[in-house]
Amino acid sequence: MAGEVVLRLRGSDDHEIEELIVNGTFAMDSVDTASERRLADVAFQADRSVRDVLVGGLGLGYTAAAVLQRDVRRVDVVEIQLPLVAWARAGLTPTLAAVAADPRVRLHVADIADVLLRRAGDPAGPWDAILLDVDNGPDFLIHDQNAGLYTPTLLAAAYRRLRPGGTLSIWCQGLAPELYQLCRSISSTAAEHRVHTRRGDREWEYAIYSLTSPGS
Ligand SMILES: C[S@@+](CC[C@H](N)C(=O)[O-])C[C@H]1O[C@@H](n2cnc3c(N)ncnc32)[C@H](O)[C@@H]1O
């Protein structure tokens, strides 16, 4: 199901813009990565230590890089596209290079659904934080098969892979009221975090949904 992936570099050497196209659809670029980095920040908001982290979707590496700014022990990054992992190991962009070279990182080529449903042997967790940014959200999918990620089965499975007090957070390209409702049906800790963005005269909001499991 992985389809085609393209990494395009444009601009000049001192201001290069990275662009990721998956399955012929624009996935993201490096112009403004605030929401990708905020996905990581949400996991560190609670007053508890976060040691082991699962990042679903390597992309251009900005979420993983934000996690690595913290005092974490191990970061499992699960990416379905083998070329992206190879490009990270080859150091095609500075961010991907830094993620791949960090000794705390394990890069896995797998479908995050298989990991969360424990159909993949490794990585097995549990984790203190699970950060999911593998698609645009339930309303605008790049991969139709990722629809399953935004279902009660998958979200409950992800929630169960958390250590006590751990946080699950999910990136969306816009507000997703049905997903928020689903998160609330799993835990009363469900929260919506909005990230306001402006490009030229266009303005919009990304959304991150989070759930925290009961502490021990
Ligand atoms: C928007 S990018 C992630 C961006 C990332 N947060 C960053 O900061 O650069 C989404 C990534 O998820 C990957 N992906 C898509 N479906 C997946 C799946 N089911 N399991 C694992 N990775 C997947 C895509 O190949 C892509 O690299």
Side-chain angles (χ1 to χ4, degrees):
M1 86 138 180
E4 186 191 55
V5 62
V6 175
L7 174 59
R8 186 180 294 160
L9 303 176
R10 57 185 164 84
S12 55
D13 278 356
D14 57 345
H15 188 62
E16 195 164 62
I17 292 169
E18 306 149 6
E19 196 171 288
L20 184 66
I21 297 149
V22 181
N23 253 357
T25 304
F26 172 85
M28 69 176 293
D29 65 21
S30 59
V31 172
D32 178 2
T33 57
S35 69
E36 285 82 3
R37 289 179 282 116
R38 178 81 185 278
L39 179 64
D41 294 343
V42 163
F44 292 87
Q45 278 176 0
D47 182 22
R48 54 181 292 281
S49 96
V50 176
R51 305 292 281 150
D52 300 326
V53 180
L54 172 65
V55 177
L58 171 63
L60 296 174
Y62 287 91
T63 301
V67 170
L68 292 166
Q69 299 287 315
R70 314 287 186 135
D71 180 24
V72 291
R73 174 170 56 194
R74 174 174 171 144
V75 182
D76 288 302
V77 182
V78 174
E79 167 57 49
I80 202 163
Q81 293 278 1
L82 173 63
L84 259 182
V85 170
W87 295 337
R89 290 189 172 129
L92 250 59
T93 73
T95 307
L96 286 174
V99 169
D102 194 302
R104 296 169 293 174
V105 170
R106 306 280 184 283
L107 294 172
H108 309 266
V109 179
D111 185 332
I112 191 74
D114 289 337
V115 170
L116 295 173
L117 292 170
R118 308 193 77 174
R119 292 189 298 227
D122 184 48
W127 296 276
D128 301 300
I130 298 177
L131 317 177
L132 299 181
D133 178 11
V134 293
D135 216 303
N136 281 326
D139 306 320
F140 177 39
L141 292 169
I142 296 178
H143 292 289
D144 291 343
Q145 294 89 332
N146 278 338
L149 286 173
Y150 307 97
T151 59
T153 306
L154 243 298
L155 290 182
Y159 189 64
R160 281 196 301 273
R161 307 304 310 130
L162 291 170
R163 285 215 178 94
T167 300
L168 165 66
S169 44
I170 306 149
W171 185 97
C172 286
Q173 59 138 14
L175 302 183
E178 285 178 18
L179 178 60
Y180 191 16
Q181 180 58 38
L182 178 52
C183 291
R184 281 199 297 243
S185 74
I186 295 172
S187 166
S188 59
T189 63
E192 180 180 71
H193 314 261
R194 299 179 181 201
V195 184
H196 189 264
T197 302
R198 174 201 287 260
R199 265 194 204 192
D201 51 9
R202 235 188 106 217
E203 289 186 51
W204 71 97
E205 277 180 323
Y206 296 113
I208 293 165
Y209 296 94
S210 67
L211 298 168
T212 299
S213 77
S216 50

